[in-house]
Amino acid sequence: MPNHWPDDWTDTGRAPHDGIVLPQQQQRPEPLRRIPPDPYQPREDDEAAPRRRWPRRLWRTVAVVLSLALVGAGTAYVWATSKLKNEVDLGRVEHRPPKGKGTNYLIVGSDSRDGLSGKDKKDLHTGSAEGRRTDSMMVLHTGAHGTTLMSLPRDSWVTLPPYTFPMTGKRPGASKNKLNAAFSLGGPELLVRTVEHNTGLRIDHYAEIGFAGFVNVVDSVGGVRMCLPRPIKDEKSGADLKKGCQTLNGAQALAFVRQRHQEAKGDLGRSQNQQKFLSALAKKATEPDHALVPWEVFPTVGAGLDTLIVDKDMDLRTLASMFEAMKGVAGGSGKQLNVPVASLGFTTRKGSAVKWDEKRAKKLFEQLRNDRPVG
């Protein structure tokens, strides 16, 4: 039968009518339920709270991306450095002039066919001659008074200084000849020696690119835009270009910088075309789309470095400085000029040559040597 406790049961747990002591009942506090905040009402501490922190996962993602970018850039640098052909030892050049102010780069375009197939040679109208000869020569001077890109016509009539041929040990005396003969006879070292001997400028760095490298670099940057004042059609170089502005691919660009029979100034006119094009190429190659992203750099760098021959002290930073200087010339912050010329058809025992204007040339070389503004 159920127990019925009277209403006067006290908190002592004793029932007055039967003397039985019952254990005291303990009441558990009812747990508080957390009421979620109203999402449509601002929190009291919103104004004082700092801006929301990025989630840890997002920070990790950013860190990984930055690390990959740095690793990619470092890998690209190491890979590109390994591609450089540091073959020219300027330390072997004899009787060098004293170091002037600023930096002088000798930039050479050679007719080397290395890397070209038989079909390439035919398509590019390069011929099949073995070895390599100079097709263009320029001195790029950088200093406190800006940048000057000076062309040296390959047919310039100059003095070849005494030079010991490393293969035979023979040492012929000084002789008159065309500038490109120095390269043919003694390679880059004798060319540097001849340029220094005839200009008084000390060459700090040397860079040379052949036909294949030139074509590949132009194609890797998507071509170079040039504006031509007249149409050019030349059977020997293969040039067939229309008048006006157009983007030249590698093959068209090579034909453009090689042709000279359509130029009123001959070799001098070709030098001017080469200056304009190389400056435009440097500007295109150093644009952010091609120069800052490691995976975009690979095709451009690889295309050029495979055939680029430089001096032993040239590294990627120095090479980049050279391209930046050429880019500045293209942008109007430097000067492009030819060595002053007295005669384009000077008769010599080696055929027609380019004779420098000795007085004006001497003044120009002195300005560059002392890093003074070029007039």
Side-chain angles (χ1 to χ4, degrees):
M1 151 169 213
N3 292 326
H4 296 283
W5 300 104
D7 294 338
D8 59 351
W9 179 53
T10 67
D11 59 356
T12 62
R14 180 183 300 276
H17 62 283
D18 58 7
I20 298 175
V21 178
L22 298 177
Q24 184 177 3
Q25 292 184 355
Q26 296 182 355
Q27 294 183 352
R28 295 180 179 178
E30 185 175 347
L32 298 177
R33 290 183 300 170
R34 182 178 180 85
I35 301 176
D38 188 347
Y40 298 99
Q41 294 294 330
R43 296 184 304 174
E44 294 181 359
D45 59 345
D46 269 356
E47 294 184 0
R51 298 180 65 180
R52 184 184 299 273
R53 295 182 178 179
W54 285 11
R56 183 175 299 177
R57 181 176 299 176
L58 182 56
W59 275 117
R60 289 176 178 173
T61 302
V62 171
V64 170
V65 171
L66 289 176
S67 298
L68 288 175
L70 290 173
V71 169
T75 302
Y77 186 88
V78 173
W79 176 83
T81 299
S82 69
K83 287 282 188 176
L84 276 178
K85 295 182 178 180
N86 299 92
E87 298 178 0
V88 180
D89 187 0
L90 297 181
R92 293 171 50 193
V93 179
E94 303 174 336
H95 306 294
R96 309 194 67 189
K99 171 71 176 173
K101 297 179 180 179
T103 303
N104 296 313
Y105 303 84
L106 181 59
I107 303 171
V108 176
S110 76
D111 64 359
S112 170
R113 278 83 172 169
D114 289 349
L116 295 179
S117 65
K119 184 178 183 302
D120 292 334
K121 295 175 184 178
K122 182 179 179 180
D123 293 343
L124 297 173
H125 298 261
T126 65
S128 300
E130 298 298 327
R132 69 187 202 265
R133 286 152 293 277
T134 52
D135 217 47
S136 64
M137 289 159 283
M138 303 177 192
V139 173
L140 177 70
H141 173 82
T142 63
H145 291 93
T147 303
T148 301
L149 184 61
M150 176 181 66
S151 287
L152 304 174
R154 68 174 190 174
D155 289 338
S156 297
W157 191 244
V158 296
T159 299
L160 269 59
Y163 180 77
T164 303
F165 293 99
M167 298 298 294
T168 64
K170 293 182 178 180
R171 186 180 178 84
S175 62
K176 284 286 188 178
N177 210 326
K178 294 181 180 180
L179 181 58
N180 61 350
F183 189 89
S184 300
L185 294 172
E189 286 83 5
L190 181 54
L191 177 62
V192 170
R193 171 83 174 101
T194 302
V195 170
E196 291 185 341
H197 179 78
N198 287 271
T199 66
L201 298 172
R202 186 183 179 97
I203 300 301
D204 300 292
H205 292 288
Y206 177 93
E208 174 195 336
I209 191 166
F211 285 163
F214 181 86
V215 171
N216 291 340
V217 167
V218 174
D219 285 338
S220 70
V221 299
V224 176
R225 186 171 176 79
M226 294 292 292
C227 295
L228 306 181
R230 56 180 176 79
I232 298 176
K233 190 173 182 64
D234 181 61
E235 184 177 350
K236 289 191 174 183
S237 66
D240 188 6
L241 306 172
K242 63 183 180 180
K243 176 183 177 180
C245 297
Q246 56 205 288
T247 298
L248 305 185
N249 62 28
Q252 293 171 323
L254 181 63
F256 172 67
V257 298
R258 292 184 64 216
Q259 65 85 26
R260 63 171 176 170
H261 297 287
Q262 304 301 314
E263 298 295 328
K265 296 182 179 179
D267 196 35
L268 200 61
R270 179 172 66 170
S271 296
Q272 293 172 339
N273 289 337
Q274 291 168 348
Q275 279 188 349
K276 294 175 183 177
F277 185 85
L278 289 180
S279 296
L281 173 60
K283 182 178 181 180
K284 183 70 178 289
T286 52
E287 287 178 350
D289 288 345
H290 300 285
L292 298 182
V293 185
W295 46 88
E296 291 286 348
V297 168
F298 282 144
T300 303
V301 170
L305 297 187
D306 283 338
T307 56
L308 188 64
I309 298 174
V310 297
D311 64 272
K312 291 186 177 296
D313 293 328
M314 179 80 84
D315 56 21
L316 286 181
R317 288 188 179 89
T318 308
L319 194 62
S321 297
M322 184 186 80
F323 271 95
E324 282 294 332
M326 292 183 68
K327 176 185 176 181
V329 172
S333 60
K335 291 192 175 183
Q336 302 181 55
L337 48 84
N338 280 290
V339 62
V341 169
S343 174
L344 294 174
F346 184 63
T347 302
T348 73
R349 56 185 175 81
K350 297 290 186 178
S352 180
V354 175
K355 182 176 175 58
W356 294 355
D357 184 320
E358 294 184 7
K359 183 178 180 180
R360 291 167 54 213
K362 183 178 179 180
K363 178 181 178 181
L364 173 61
F365 301 151
E366 185 178 348
Q367 290 171 334
L368 294 175
R369 185 167 53 252
N370 295 306
D371 194 27
R372 294 203 301 262
V374 175

